Structures are given as C-alpha cells and as structure tokens.
Amino acid sequence: LLLQMWIKGVNEAGKMALQAWEKETGIKLVQINGQRHYGAPPPGWVGGPPPARAEVYIAKLPQDVYEDILIPLFGSVGRLYEFRLMMTFSGFNRGFAYARYASLEEAQRAISTLHRFQLRPGCGIVVCWSIQKRRLVVSGLPASVSQLELQARLQSVTEGICSVTLHASPFQGQAKLAVLKYRSHRAAALAKKALMEGNLRLMEAGLKVNWLEPQLKKKLQLCEEEPLSSWVQEDESLAEPRPVALPLSLQNVLECLNMVCWKHHLRKPLFVIKCVEVNTDGWEKFWYQVEIPGYHVPISGFTWVPPDRQGQSKQERAKAVAALHILRVLGKSLHSQLPAFHKVLRSL
C-alpha cells in the first residue's frame, strides 16, 4: 500500500500534463510490457508500414519527460509512424525511446536535427540509428533439455520467433545454450522481458537471457560441434538480390532429395513456393516451405531468382534452391548414416 501511494505521487505534474495533452489531441497511448506505444499505424496513416530501418534510437532523456513533449518534438522533423517510450513500474521513463518515421530521409533528418538537442539546459539528448537486434541467447539450460521441449515452451510464452538453435555451451561444461531469432527488434525485446521474468519455466535457477553479442556469435560459429538442430532456416544475406553460386539442376536435386528421404523412411517432400516480391530490375523473391512427412518440423526460407534464366522457370529455380536447402539440413543429421550423401551433393 505504501509503495502504491509512493508511485501515485511520483511526477504528478508530468502525468497531469500528459493526460491533458492526450485529451486535447485525441491521441491514445497503449502500454504493453514496459513500453508505451503511439501509432503503428498512427491516425490517418495510408498504406503499409515503412521499413524497419527508418527507426531512430533516442537516449539520455530526463526520466520525468513524457510523450506530450517528445512526440511533438520528434514529429516536427518528419511524419512519425510509431513512437515507443520505455517505462519503469513507478511511472518514470527509463531514459530511452524509439521513433520510427515514414521514410529513411525523415529518420536521417531527425538525427541531424535533434542529436544533442537541449531538451533542458544541460540535458542534450542522443539521437542515432536504431540497431535492429533480433537475436537472444539463453544460457544455463540443463543438458537434458530437448529441442522440441524448448521450442514448445518458447512458442507458448513469446511471439514472433523465427528460429531456435541449441548449442553446447562453450563456458559451462555440460550445460546448453540456445540462440533465438525473432522477426523484429520489438518482438525480441518483448521476448527478452518475458523470459527474464521467469516465464520459460525449465526448472533451472541459473537461467540467463541476453542479447547475442558478436563475440559469442563468432565463438559459436568456430565451435567444432554443429548446432543440434534448427527449427526454421533463414538467410539474412538474401535481403538484397544475389544469385545462388551453384548451377542447379532441379531434376538432379530432387532425385537426390527423394533418395535421401527413401533411405531414411521419410515420405516424398511437399513444396509450397510463393513469389513475395519483385524489384525494379526484374529479380523475384520467393518464399518456400517444405514439409517432409515423418520429419519433425517444416523447413522454410527465402531466395532471390534473377530474370531471364534460359531453360529453367523462376518457379523451378526457387524449388531447386529449396530442395538443396533441405538436403543440407538433412545432411547434418543423416550424413553418418548415409556415406554416399556427400558424394551425391558435391555432384550437383
């Protein structure tokens, strides 16, 4: 009760000013898991969301400043699609926020105009490009944890997860760690908060959740042990068009894939191929998902297909890439049981 009374009395003038501004402008702010949101989309927005890269990070905010000051300020240099202010349980802000603009140009204008802006005398704020971190690392997992158990728990307590990879920990003997990839920085941040609050419930006291840092990422890549399994396969480098290095023959790849599946009592793979984007140069981006009856999870990814490839349709080219991807995934778990596998794969 004393804590509630203390919280109620914190920064009353600032809270009253914020409420008056909301009433005057008709703006609605929504607080979810320690983040207070405006927009996404804002009133009157037409069309789809702007690119995630059009977001700026704002730091060194006075903790008693709210959206009634910040949104008009950051909206003065460009059209805001979204504004997120990080909040404490007591009602102060946590000193940082994110503003996403309608375009990269407007985000750049916000940085050049408002970086080091004196919000108050002696209180210059930081405005820079937001780093879209999307990967978390969960360490301290027991050696007995299984991939399927971890996936099921994560699906039940977080949203927007793209992939889960389980590794032997390079630091903690028999313990394991997991690298989690989310579809956006926001989804990853919300997942981090949920997991830090103990929602994973894997019966371990020493569980830690952090952002995946470059040093650990490199260390994991150098480990001799391959990841135990992968839930969803993606290639971030395909954000921009590039051709696949190998000259793929759809017939040869499919024959090899069907042979591998038959040898291991798996049924014929089922492909779903869909074009999701076409750029101005005629490149087409395809999404694919492949289900193999008898294999525990579907496997999906993206690939860019160049224009005017003679002798093979773009749909066939995308299917060949998907089939080769499936071969590589299966090869990690099946190569010791199928010596001929790598010889066939090298011939493609």
Side-chain angles (χ1 to χ4, degrees):
L1 181 60
L2 288 174
L3 178 61
Q4 291 176 347
M5 291 177 63
W6 179 78
I7 292 173
K8 186 176 181 181
V10 167
N11 198 20
E12 279 299 306
K15 292 177 181 177
M16 290 178 64
L18 176 63
Q19 291 172 359
W21 175 77
E22 287 183 274
K23 185 175 180 180
E24 178 184 349
T25 60
I27 286 176
K28 294 183 179 180
L29 303 174
V30 179
Q31 184 160 336
I32 304 174
N33 293 329
Q35 299 185 28
R36 200 153 61 197
H37 297 257
Y38 159 76
W45 183 269
V46 177
R53 293 177 296 162
E55 183 177 83
V56 300
Y57 170 69
I58 307 153
K60 293 191 175 181
L61 292 172
Q63 288 191 278
D64 59 348
V65 170
Y66 297 134
E67 291 88 344
D68 57 317
I69 302 296
L70 297 173
I71 288 179
L73 174 64
F74 283 88
S76 68
V77 297
R79 189 178 179 196
L80 284 173
Y81 174 76
E82 180 184 25
F83 190 91
R84 295 182 285 129
L85 183 63
M86 306 300 115
M87 301 297 297
T88 69
F89 72 92
S90 64
F92 284 118
N93 76 63
R94 294 174 58 194
F96 67 100
Y98 296 89
R100 187 172 172 187
Y101 284 90
S103 68
L104 293 172
E105 292 76 16
E106 289 165 295
Q108 179 62 67
R109 191 184 309 137
I111 294 171
S112 59
T113 305
L114 298 176
H115 181 54
R116 297 181 180 175
F117 179 81
Q118 297 286 314
L119 201 57
R120 290 176 183 166
C123 291
I125 61 175
V126 171
V127 184
C128 59
W129 291 107
S130 171
I131 299 175
Q132 294 291 314
K133 291 184 177 181
R134 296 193 293 155
R135 284 183 171 85
L136 302 176
V137 58
V138 180
S139 57
L141 293 167
S144 60
V145 69
S146 71
Q147 181 78 14
L148 292 178
E149 178 188 14
L150 184 58
Q151 289 174 193
R153 296 294 180 91
L154 289 166
Q155 281 183 288
S156 68
V157 299
T158 69
E159 295 182 0
I161 192 164
C162 294
S163 65
V164 180
T165 310
L166 201 58
H167 298 260
S169 173
F171 313 111
Q172 296 175 290
Q174 297 300 314
K176 292 180 183 177
L177 61 79
V179 175
L180 321 178
K181 180 181 175 183
Y182 287 83
R183 69 166 172 260
S184 67
H185 176 79
R186 176 181 172 183
L190 293 176
K192 183 174 182 287
K193 185 176 186 299
L195 297 176
M196 288 178 68
E197 291 174 348
N199 291 341
L200 195 54
R201 297 174 187 170
L202 284 172
M203 300 176 292
E204 64 293 310
L207 189 72
K208 294 182 180 180
V209 183
N210 294 292
W211 295 107
L212 178 62
E213 298 297 335
Q215 297 88 340
L216 177 57
K217 182 178 180 180
K218 184 176 181 179
K219 186 180 288 289
L220 293 176
Q221 289 173 341
L222 293 174
C223 283
E224 293 182 3
E225 182 177 346
E226 291 287 338
L228 297 182
S229 61
S230 184
W231 178 18
V232 178
Q233 301 290 324
E234 292 188 298
D235 187 350
E236 286 184 282
S237 64
L238 296 179
E240 296 296 332
R242 65 166 190 172
V244 177
L246 294 176
L248 300 177
S249 164
L250 177 60
Q251 181 178 355
N252 290 346
V253 177
L254 288 179
E255 285 178 357
C256 181
L257 178 58
N258 290 336
M259 183 264 289
V260 170
C261 291
W262 176 76
K263 285 282 187 180
H264 292 273
H265 310 289
L266 302 173
R267 296 176 63 185
K268 187 175 180 179
L270 305 174
F271 289 80
V272 178
I273 311 287
K274 183 178 180 181
C275 180
V276 294
E277 184 179 345
V278 181
N279 73 6
T280 55
D281 296 324
W283 288 71
E284 294 186 17
K285 185 178 183 180
F286 285 85
W287 170 83
Y288 57 83
Q289 179 167 293
V290 184
E291 293 191 17
I292 305 175
Y295 193 69
H296 57 287
V297 288
I299 302 169
S300 61
F302 293 91
T303 185
W304 283 95
V305 176
D308 302 325
R309 181 175 174 83
Q310 296 181 352
Q312 192 177 47
S313 72
K314 294 179 181 178
Q315 192 87 6
E316 289 177 334
R317 177 71 170 170
K319 188 173 183 179
V321 171
L324 185 60
H325 181 184
I326 306 311
L327 278 170
R328 287 171 176 159
V329 173
L330 293 177
K332 290 181 180 180
S333 57
L334 304 181
H335 72 279
S336 63
Q337 304 172 44
L338 187 59
F341 171 80
H342 289 292
K343 182 177 178 181
V344 176
L345 187 57
R346 284 194 297 270
S347 70
L348 296 177

